[in-house]
């Protein structure tokens, strides 16, 4: 590998060309316009300008030198801050976009990335799959590629932490399906011909596709584009699965779906409960031109209220009225024969959940008083029990406004929570109640109690205590009266426990089945596989073996090992904890997973030798396909044949690499290399490191391998892997563990551990010969952007440039916690300050590209974060660029936005990574002697001609600018 120079030496070398081409005045190009060359020297007194006849004798020397240097450095495409500059190395951005220029970009025009990237992003997505309840049919739900910006530009209301499309009366920016295809799953495991669902308008946008319990009908919503580029309100349609013919569910064309919260649910095979827009609703309230008074918030009661930086909150009484207007629904029960019945009064219903026996409805709603500091999930909440024909049975709870939930992890709302139906019973409720006032910092035992009660208890019958927990309740997997699994966990210690209980046997004591660290992926036993019941609920699948009375379940696990994930399926004896591995993924070439149980549609016992599973299979170069695998011979039949989404990268190279941090922590990363790359022949490549830090409580857990070397490289529209098509090496997801063992808080040594992890990763790729110093870029999204800025501030020796998307850079703007930090700014002031790259903006000298959505609604990553960070960088003369994407949120959706981000990223990488100084430093090093020699020769000739020289020789002057010969010497 060619020896590279230290970065400070490279910068000195580059100053040669600065002095010769006057970078701030002239754009670099392969043939600099030396007729206008101006040579300058900055002095404490400012720029001195003179005219001299010595210009003529020096011009040939400078022309020859700068021509050579210009040809070398033009490939680096260094820019002045106004963006002027020449083409890129290894294919310029301008040529790849045909008509695109940097002036266009600076003028605010959207650009396209190079064709090799654009073609991958524009590839049609594979359809989503949905199996019928009887597992005999499969839906292929067809999707489009990226939406146009016009869809994001539609008006939306930002209310109570949500964004609402007022025209459609649903959440804004919903993705959708473009079509539905039905395939019969034949007895031999193959698929029959496609039957297309038809009857609705062309170009309809389809959402909320749902099977009826008997699998004979499909329900879904549609909306169509109107002339003013808006979408219509949502209407509910039902399709006959046998014929594929779809018709509106409501006979009246004026009944529309309100999908702000819930939408619709099948109550039985022929009736649907729908959230509709109330027929009595009029025009939306109008914002008063003059407010009735000031906006006032008060805490005269001195309550301690700490909340994170939620966005899109209600701001005033008008917002409250507007929220009520869009969120209020009328529940309507409609039959397939057209019978319609309104049930209950209009209200802000958030969920409706029928009991398994279809006799009751669990109805949740929110009501006033609302809040201006928390989203709607913390508004006052009422949970009631109705019959399915709308008769009120009883109120379960009416929880008050919850503005005061502590910010400590595992803190929860007071009162009844997680109210649900038991999946194995006709109509039995269960829920959890906190015993610590919802405050995770309060030490108490038990911390949570789980209760259960029939839908209509006898008079005076109190809820029954099902189980008590010392950690925080995390859910229940039901099976029957003899078996249920209860989960609890605690974030601070990463402890997670699974209990075995017998809900119907009070004399059987609960026992701990698993007690482990959630970080310890090697010890993960897997999760129980669930089977569908005739009522449509899911319970733990009990498995029978011939001539064996044991109680077995199937544990489906990811199979993390030091060699990577090897998924498995274990037959687990719930009584003895003994297990038998009945299936395991291939580990040599393929990565396989168990997706679902396919033999659960018949009632009765499930026998091992009749087991049927849906599995997936993929490899580094083969995209995911699905199979039906049947016991006892485990014969696999492929049911899909999706084309490769990006055949141009089908032969990419992928390797999971391991290396060690200087403190002994084992680290891993996935290294991707372009198709056909050979390091022995091709040498090192420009490299892009893309990552996201994570917090751990132990070094051992942080060092465990996650992921598989055989997984298919899924490339999303903003994925770093797109640059494989531009001949980059990609170091994807190098582990950046921030570890706080025992009572130590991880973030107290954030910068130290961040830099150490990055140093280890860079050393690993350099030692492999696939990358070299000076040509390694770093990037990330959200907390990864925060990481990127910190690395450029505290480890500038590692990276040539950075790409930071949608990040938060000033932690004092998130004073009540961020990410996994639950201390406040006032409790951990030094940590907040030291972690903030905004505070270290004066240290960032490497080029940084900052991208942010103008409408970012993610807590903590306000668009203001990037604005202020950019201004701080600019105030210290940093080489930086800020791109704000109109209408985009935390993640980017519109095709124009995504393509432009890719163009910006490619431009940045071509200029500051591919064509980095190190690429030409060796040639510049050789060239500097030639430049110095020519100047000395000129000096000697001047002395010989009697023009003076030596120590008393006057400074040179060229083209009106003062120049001192010694300034070209090292």
């Amino acid at each position: 590998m060619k020896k590279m120079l230290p970065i400070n030496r490279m910068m000195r070398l580059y100053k040669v060309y600065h002095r010769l081409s006057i970078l701030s005045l002239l754009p670099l190009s392969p043939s600099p316009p030396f007729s206008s060359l101006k040579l300058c020297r900055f002095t404490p007194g400012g720029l001195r300008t003179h005219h001299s006849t010595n210009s003529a004798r020096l011009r040939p020397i400078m022309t020859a030198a700068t021509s050579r240097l210009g040809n070398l450095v033009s490939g680096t495409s260094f820019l002045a801050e106004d963006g002027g500059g020449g083409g890129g190395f290894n294919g310029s951005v301008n040529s790849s976009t045909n008509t695109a220029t940097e002036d266009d970009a600076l003028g605010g025009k959207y650009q396209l990335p190079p064709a090799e990237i654009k073609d991958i992003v524009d590839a049609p997505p594979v359809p989503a799959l949905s199996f019928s309840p009887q597992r005999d049919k499969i839906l292929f739900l067809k999707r489009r590629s990226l939406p146009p910006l016009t869809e994001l530009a539609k008006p939306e209301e930002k209310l109570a932490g949500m964004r609402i499309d007022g025209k459609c009366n649903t959440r804004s920016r919903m993705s959708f399906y473009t079509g539905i295809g039905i395939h019969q799953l034949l007895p031999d495991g193959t698929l029959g011909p496609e039957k297309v669902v038809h009857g609705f308008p062309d170009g309809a946008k389809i959402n909320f596709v749902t099977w009826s319990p008997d699998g004979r009908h499909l329900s879904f919503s549609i909306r169509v584009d109107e002339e003013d580029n808006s979408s219509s309100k949502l209407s509910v349609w039902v399709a006959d699965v046998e014929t594929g013919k779809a018709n509106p569910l409501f006979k009246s064309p004026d009944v529309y779906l309100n999908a702000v919260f819930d939408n619709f649910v099948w109550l039985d095979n022929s009736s649907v409960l729908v959230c509709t827009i109330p027929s009595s609703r009029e025009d939306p309230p109008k914002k008063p031109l003059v407010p009735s008074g000031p906006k006032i918030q008060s805490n005269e009661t001195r309550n301690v209220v700490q909340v994170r930086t939620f966005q899109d909150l209600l701001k005033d009484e008008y917002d409250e009225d507007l929220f009520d207007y869009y969120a209020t629904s009328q529940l309507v029960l409609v039959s397939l024969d057209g019978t319609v019945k309104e049930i209950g009064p209009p209200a802000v219903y958030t969920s409706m959940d029928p009991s398994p026996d279809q006799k009751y409805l669990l109805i949740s709603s929110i009501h006033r008083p609302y809040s201006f500091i928390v989203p709607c999930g913390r508004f006052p909440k009422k949970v009631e029990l109705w019959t399915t024909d709308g008769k009120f049975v009883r109120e379960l709870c009416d929880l008050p406004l919850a503005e005061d939930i502590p910010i400590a992890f595992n803190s929860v709302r007071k009162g009844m929570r997680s109210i649900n139906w038991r999946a194995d019973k006709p109509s039995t409720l269960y829920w959890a109640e906190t015993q610590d006032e919802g405050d995770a910092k309060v030490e108490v035992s038990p911390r949570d109690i789980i209760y259960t009660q029939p839908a209509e208890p006898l008079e005076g019958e109190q809820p029954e205590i099902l189980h008590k927990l010392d950690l925080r309740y995390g859910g229940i997997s039901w099976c029957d009266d003899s078996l249920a699994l209860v989960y609890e966990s605690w974030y601070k210690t990463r402890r997670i426990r699974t209990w075995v209980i017998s809900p119907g046997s009070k004399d059987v004591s609960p026992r701990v089945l698993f007690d482990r660290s959630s970080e310890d992926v090697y010890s993960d036993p897997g999760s129980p596989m669930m089977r569908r019941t005739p009522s449509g609920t899911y319970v733990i699948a009990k498995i029978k073996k011939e001539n064996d009375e044991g109680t077995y379940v199937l544990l489906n696990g990811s199979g993390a090992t030091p060699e990577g994930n090897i998924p498995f399926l274990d037959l687990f004896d719930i009584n003895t904890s003994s297990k038998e591995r009945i299936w395991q993924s291939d580990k040599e070439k393929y990565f396989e997973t168990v997706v679902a149980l396919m033999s659960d549609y018949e009632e009765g016992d499930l026998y091992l030798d009749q087991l049927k599973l849906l599995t997936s299979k993929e490899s580094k170069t083969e995209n995911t396909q699905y199979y039906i695998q049947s016991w006892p011979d485990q014969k696999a039949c492929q049911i899909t044949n999706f084309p490769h989404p990006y055949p141009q990268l089908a032969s990419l190279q992928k390797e999971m690499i391991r290396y060690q941090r200087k403190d002994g922590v084992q680290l891993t990363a996935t290294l991707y290399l372009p198709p056909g790359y050979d390091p022995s022949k091709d040498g090192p490549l420009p490299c892009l490191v893309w990552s996201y830090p994570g917090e751990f409580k132990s070094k051992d857990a942080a060092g465990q391998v996650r992921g598989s070397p055989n997984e298919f490289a899924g490339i999303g529209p903003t994925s770093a892997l797109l640059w494989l098509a531009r001949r980059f090496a990609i170091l994807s997801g190098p582990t950046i563990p921030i570890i706080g063992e025992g009572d130590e808080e991880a973030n107290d040594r954030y910068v130290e551990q961040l830099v150490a992890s990055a140093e280890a990763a860079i050393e690993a790729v350099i030692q492999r010969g696939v990358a070299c110093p000076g040509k390694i870029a770093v990037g990330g999204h959200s907390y990864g952007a925060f990481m990127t800025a910190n690395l450029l501030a505290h480890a500038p020796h590692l990276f040539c440039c950075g790409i930071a998307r949608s990040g938060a850079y000033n932690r004092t703007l998130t004073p009540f916690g961020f990410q996994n930090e639950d201390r406040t700014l006032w409790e951990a002031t030094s940590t907040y300050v030291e972690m903030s790259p905004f505070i270290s903006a004066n240290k960032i000298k490497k080029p940084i590209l900052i991208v942010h959505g103008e409408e970012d609604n993610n807590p903590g990553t306000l668009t203001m974060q990037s604005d202020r960070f950019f201004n701080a960088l600019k105030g210290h003369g940093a080489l930086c660029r800020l791109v704000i994407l109109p209408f985009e949120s935390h993640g980017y959706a519109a095709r124009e936005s995504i393509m432009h981000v890719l163009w910006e990223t490619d431009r940045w990488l071509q200029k500051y990574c591919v064509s980095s100084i190190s690429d030409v430093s060796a040639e510049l090093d050789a060239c500097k002697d030639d430049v110095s020699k020519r100047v000395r020769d000129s000096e000697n000739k001047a002395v010989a001609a009697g023009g003076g020289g030596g120590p008393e020789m006057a400074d040179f002057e060229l083209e009106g600018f003062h120049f001192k010969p010694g300034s070209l010497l090292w």
Side-chain angles (χ1 to χ4, degrees), residues 196 695 789:
V196 177
E695 291 80 12

Side-chain angles (χ1 to χ4, degrees), residues 425-729:
K425 290 290 184 181
S427 53
T428 299
L429 294 162
Y430 71 99
W431 66 90
E433 291 188 34
T434 179
Q435 306 301 300
D436 57 10
E437 296 296 307
D439 189 349
K441 292 184 178 180
V442 173
E443 294 296 333
V444 65
S445 179
R447 191 172 290 277
D448 272 338
I449 297 179
I450 307 168
Y451 294 93
T452 182
Q453 190 177 47
E456 293 193 70
L458 299 175
E459 186 175 352
E461 182 181 1
Q462 296 300 310
E464 177 185 340
I465 294 177
L466 183 67
H467 193 46
K468 296 180 179 181
L469 300 169
D470 284 337
L471 308 182
R472 187 63 78 203
Y473 167 71
I476 301 180
S477 294
W478 297 96
C479 182
D480 52 31
D481 271 339
S482 67
L483 175 64
L485 300 181
V486 181
Y487 309 101
E488 62 174 339
S489 63
W490 198 248
Y491 176 77
K492 276 293 184 182
T493 59
R494 309 300 197 271
R495 190 178 185 185
I496 183 169
R497 282 196 298 210
T498 303
W499 292 83
V500 178
I501 64 171
S502 298
S505 303
K506 295 182 180 180
D507 56 338
V508 178
S509 299
R511 60 185 174 87
V512 175
L513 184 64
F514 305 119
D515 189 348
R516 46 182 291 272
S517 168
S518 60
E519 291 181 342
D520 182 10
V521 293
Y522 292 170
S523 70
D524 187 351
S527 302
M529 295 207 69
M530 313 296 283
R531 67 174 294 179
R532 192 178 190 275
T533 67
S535 60
T537 63
Y538 283 84
V539 298
I540 297 173
K542 274 188 177 179
I543 303 297
K544 293 278 190 177
K545 294 174 69 175
E546 293 291 344
N547 304 316
D548 190 331
E549 297 301 319
T551 302
Y552 297 97
V553 299
L554 295 172
L555 294 183
N556 184 12
S558 59
T561 74
E563 289 73 43
N565 288 359
I566 307 172
F568 64 82
L569 192 65
D570 280 350
L571 187 67
F572 185 84
D573 190 319
I574 206 74
N575 295 317
T576 66
S577 294
S578 62
K579 57 187 177 183
E580 174 190 351
R581 187 142 298 179
I582 63 172
W583 178 90
Q584 183 170 282
S585 169
D586 173 83
K587 59 183 178 182
E588 300 303 324
K589 179 181 178 182
Y590 291 101
F591 177 75
E592 301 168 286
T593 64
V594 174
V595 180
L597 194 60
M598 296 292 287
S599 51
D600 63 342
Y601 53 87
E602 294 181 356
E603 293 189 61
D605 295 331
L606 291 177
Y607 282 88
L608 180 61
D609 60 1
Q610 297 173 358
L611 198 62
K612 187 181 290 186
L613 302 172
L614 175 68
T615 62
S616 67
K617 185 177 182 179
E618 62 196 79
S619 72
K620 298 177 184 178
T621 57
E622 300 171 47
N623 54 308
T624 305
Q625 306 293 351
Y626 293 93
Y627 296 75
I628 298 293
Q629 201 161 81
S630 304
W631 266 251
D633 57 1
Q634 297 190 31
K635 179 184 177 182
C637 181
Q638 184 173 340
I639 62 172
T640 62
N641 189 26
F642 299 129
H644 198 293
Y646 19 89
Q648 58 271 56
L649 294 179
S651 58
L652 62 80
Q653 303 172 51
K654 177 184 177 182
E655 179 185 4
M656 186 171 284
I657 64 173
R658 301 199 68 181
Y659 49 95
Q660 184 172 294
R661 204 164 74 178
K662 62 184 179 182
D663 60 359
V665 177
Q666 294 293 320
L667 304 177
T668 59
T670 305
L671 177 63
Y672 292 91
L673 298 169
Y677 170 71
D678 183 344
S680 62
K681 296 179 181 178
D682 302 328
L685 296 170
C687 179
L688 174 58
V689 179
W690 200 270
S691 192
Y692 193 97
E695 291 80 12
F696 291 87
K697 288 303 292 182
S698 81
K699 292 181 178 180
D700 289 342
Q704 291 183 354
V705 176
R706 293 161 173 82
S708 168
N710 296 327
E711 286 182 90
F712 180 69
I715 302 179
T718 57
S719 170
L721 299 186
L722 289 166
W723 274 269
L724 289 169
R726 298 286 277 165
R727 307 296 294 175
F728 269 71

Side-chain angles (χ1 to χ4, degrees), residues 792-808:
L792 294 186
H794 303 291
H797 58 291
L798 297 178
F799 302 103
C800 60
C801 64
I803 299 104
R805 299 177 185 167
S806 298

